[in-house]
PDB file of all heavy atoms in Angstrom:
ATOM      1  N   SER D1333     -15.345  11.032  12.396  1.00  0.00           N
ATOM      2  CA  SER D1333     -15.780  12.074  11.467  1.00  0.00           C
ATOM      3  C   SER D1333     -17.187  12.569  11.794  1.00  0.00           C
ATOM      4  O   SER D1333     -17.450  13.785  11.828  1.00  0.00           O
ATOM      5  CB  SER D1333     -15.728  11.564  10.023  1.00  0.00           C
ATOM      6  OG  SER D1333     -14.398  11.470   9.569  1.00  0.00           O
ATOM      7  N   LYS D1334     -18.111  11.624  12.062  1.00  0.00           N
ATOM      8  CA  LYS D1334     -19.517  11.991  12.265  1.00  0.00           C
ATOM      9  C   LYS D1334     -19.770  12.744  13.565  1.00  0.00           C
ATOM     10  O   LYS D1334     -20.688  13.571  13.648  1.00  0.00           O
ATOM     11  CB  LYS D1334     -20.394  10.730  12.227  1.00  0.00           C
ATOM     12  CG  LYS D1334     -20.603  10.165  10.832  1.00  0.00           C
ATOM     13  CD  LYS D1334     -21.398   8.880  10.848  1.00  0.00           C
ATOM     14  CE  LYS D1334     -22.835   9.088  11.272  1.00  0.00           C
ATOM     15  NZ  LYS D1334     -23.627   7.838  11.116  1.00  0.00           N
ATOM     16  N   TYR D1335     -18.951  12.481  14.591  1.00  0.00           N
ATOM     17  CA  TYR D1335     -19.275  13.034  15.905  1.00  0.00           C
ATOM     18  C   TYR D1335     -18.245  14.011  16.465  1.00  0.00           C
ATOM     19  O   TYR D1335     -18.481  14.634  17.490  1.00  0.00           O
ATOM     20  CB  TYR D1335     -19.528  11.894  16.893  1.00  0.00           C
ATOM     21  CG  TYR D1335     -20.747  11.092  16.500  1.00  0.00           C
ATOM     22  CD1 TYR D1335     -20.620   9.902  15.799  1.00  0.00           C
ATOM     23  CD2 TYR D1335     -22.025  11.569  16.782  1.00  0.00           C
ATOM     24  CE1 TYR D1335     -21.744   9.182  15.405  1.00  0.00           C
ATOM     25  CE2 TYR D1335     -23.151  10.863  16.388  1.00  0.00           C
ATOM     26  CZ  TYR D1335     -23.006   9.669  15.700  1.00  0.00           C
ATOM     27  OH  TYR D1335     -24.123   8.977  15.300  1.00  0.00           O
ATOM     28  N   ILE D1336     -17.078  14.138  15.779  1.00  0.00           N
ATOM     29  CA  ILE D1336     -16.104  15.139  16.226  1.00  0.00           C
ATOM     30  C   ILE D1336     -15.635  16.014  15.058  1.00  0.00           C
ATOM     31  O   ILE D1336     -15.780  17.234  15.094  1.00  0.00           O
ATOM     32  CB  ILE D1336     -14.886  14.481  16.914  1.00  0.00           C
ATOM     33  CG1 ILE D1336     -15.306  13.774  18.202  1.00  0.00           C
ATOM     34  CG2 ILE D1336     -13.820  15.546  17.232  1.00  0.00           C
ATOM     35  CD1 ILE D1336     -14.160  13.113  18.965  1.00  0.00           C
ATOM     36  N   LEU D1337     -15.085  15.404  14.012  1.00  0.00           N
ATOM     37  CA  LEU D1337     -14.475  16.195  12.945  1.00  0.00           C
ATOM     38  C   LEU D1337     -15.493  17.077  12.232  1.00  0.00           C
ATOM     39  O   LEU D1337     -15.239  18.274  12.002  1.00  0.00           O
ATOM     40  CB  LEU D1337     -13.766  15.273  11.941  1.00  0.00           C
ATOM     41  CG  LEU D1337     -12.602  14.441  12.484  1.00  0.00           C
ATOM     42  CD1 LEU D1337     -11.964  13.639  11.368  1.00  0.00           C
ATOM     43  CD2 LEU D1337     -11.560  15.331  13.166  1.00  0.00           C
ATOM     44  N   GLU D1338     -16.634  16.513  11.872  1.00  0.00           N
ATOM     45  CA  GLU D1338     -17.625  17.296  11.116  1.00  0.00           C
ATOM     46  C   GLU D1338     -18.401  18.290  12.001  1.00  0.00           C
ATOM     47  O   GLU D1338     -18.362  19.497  11.743  1.00  0.00           O
ATOM     48  CB  GLU D1338     -18.587  16.359  10.381  1.00  0.00           C
ATOM     49  CG  GLU D1338     -17.931  15.565   9.272  1.00  0.00           C
ATOM     50  CD  GLU D1338     -18.894  14.601   8.600  1.00  0.00           C
ATOM     51  OE1 GLU D1338     -20.113  14.760   8.771  1.00  0.00           O
ATOM     52  OE2 GLU D1338     -18.421  13.682   7.902  1.00  0.00           O
ATOM     53  N   PRO D1339     -19.088  17.819  13.064  1.00  0.00           N
ATOM     54  CA  PRO D1339     -19.943  18.759  13.805  1.00  0.00           C
ATOM     55  C   PRO D1339     -19.199  19.702  14.738  1.00  0.00           C
ATOM     56  O   PRO D1339     -19.651  20.826  14.977  1.00  0.00           O
ATOM     57  CB  PRO D1339     -20.864  17.826  14.599  1.00  0.00           C
ATOM     58  CG  PRO D1339     -20.057  16.593  14.810  1.00  0.00           C
ATOM     59  CD  PRO D1339     -19.225  16.441  13.565  1.00  0.00           C
ATOM     60  N   VAL D1340     -18.085  19.266  15.278  1.00  0.00           N
ATOM     61  CA  VAL D1340     -17.386  20.078  16.276  1.00  0.00           C
ATOM     62  C   VAL D1340     -16.254  20.897  15.637  1.00  0.00           C
ATOM     63  O   VAL D1340     -16.100  22.092  15.923  1.00  0.00           O
ATOM     64  CB  VAL D1340     -16.836  19.193  17.416  1.00  0.00           C
ATOM     65  CG1 VAL D1340     -16.124  20.052  18.460  1.00  0.00           C
ATOM     66  CG2 VAL D1340     -17.951  18.371  18.054  1.00  0.00           C
ATOM     67  N   LEU D1341     -15.460  20.250  14.773  1.00  0.00           N
ATOM     68  CA  LEU D1341     -14.301  20.925  14.187  1.00  0.00           C
ATOM     69  C   LEU D1341     -14.552  21.460  12.780  1.00  0.00           C
ATOM     70  O   LEU D1341     -13.675  22.086  12.189  1.00  0.00           O
ATOM     71  CB  LEU D1341     -13.097  19.969  14.184  1.00  0.00           C
ATOM     72  CG  LEU D1341     -12.573  19.588  15.576  1.00  0.00           C
ATOM     73  CD1 LEU D1341     -11.481  18.532  15.484  1.00  0.00           C
ATOM     74  CD2 LEU D1341     -12.070  20.816  16.315  1.00  0.00           C
ATOM     75  N   ASP D1342     -15.736  21.186  12.218  1.00  0.00           N
ATOM     76  CA  ASP D1342     -16.115  21.696  10.899  1.00  0.00           C
ATOM     77  C   ASP D1342     -15.162  21.229   9.794  1.00  0.00           C
ATOM     78  O   ASP D1342     -14.818  21.970   8.885  1.00  0.00           O
ATOM     79  CB  ASP D1342     -16.201  23.231  10.899  1.00  0.00           C
ATOM     80  CG  ASP D1342     -16.952  23.767   9.670  1.00  0.00           C
ATOM     81  OD1 ASP D1342     -17.876  23.088   9.206  1.00  0.00           O
ATOM     82  OD2 ASP D1342     -16.581  24.855   9.178  1.00  0.00           O
ATOM     83  N   ILE D1343     -14.739  19.973   9.887  1.00  0.00           N
ATOM     84  CA  ILE D1343     -13.928  19.354   8.828  1.00  0.00           C
ATOM     85  C   ILE D1343     -14.817  18.331   8.135  1.00  0.00           C
ATOM     86  O   ILE D1343     -15.064  17.244   8.655  1.00  0.00           O
ATOM     87  CB  ILE D1343     -12.656  18.692   9.403  1.00  0.00           C
ATOM     88  CG1 ILE D1343     -11.758  19.756  10.024  1.00  0.00           C
ATOM     89  CG2 ILE D1343     -11.913  17.930   8.307  1.00  0.00           C
ATOM     90  CD1 ILE D1343     -10.554  19.206  10.749  1.00  0.00           C
ATOM     91  N   LYS D1344     -15.306  18.692   6.953  1.00  0.00           N
ATOM     92  CA  LYS D1344     -16.317  17.873   6.279  1.00  0.00           C
ATOM     93  C   LYS D1344     -15.764  17.060   5.113  1.00  0.00           C
ATOM     94  O   LYS D1344     -16.380  16.094   4.684  1.00  0.00           O
ATOM     95  CB  LYS D1344     -17.462  18.766   5.806  1.00  0.00           C
ATOM     96  CG  LYS D1344     -18.245  19.405   6.963  1.00  0.00           C
ATOM     97  CD  LYS D1344     -19.381  20.269   6.467  1.00  0.00           C
ATOM     98  CE  LYS D1344     -20.325  20.655   7.596  1.00  0.00           C
ATOM     99  NZ  LYS D1344     -19.665  21.386   8.678  1.00  0.00           N
ATOM    100  N   ASP D1345     -14.624  17.456   4.571  1.00  0.00           N
ATOM    101  CA  ASP D1345     -14.042  16.737   3.444  1.00  0.00           C
ATOM    102  C   ASP D1345     -12.590  16.414   3.763  1.00  0.00           C
ATOM    103  O   ASP D1345     -11.714  17.274   3.676  1.00  0.00           O
ATOM    104  CB  ASP D1345     -14.134  17.570   2.166  1.00  0.00           C
ATOM    105  CG  ASP D1345     -13.778  16.767   0.909  1.00  0.00           C
ATOM    106  OD1 ASP D1345     -13.017  15.792   1.030  1.00  0.00           O
ATOM    107  OD2 ASP D1345     -14.270  17.126  -0.177  1.00  0.00           O
TER     108      ASP D1345
END
Side-chain angles (χ1 to χ4, degrees):
S1333 287
K1334 285 176 68 173
Y1335 295 98
I1336 295 181
L1337 298 183
E1338 293 178 16
V1340 181
L1341 294 174
D1342 195 33
I1343 296 174
K1344 294 181 168 59
D1345 191 334

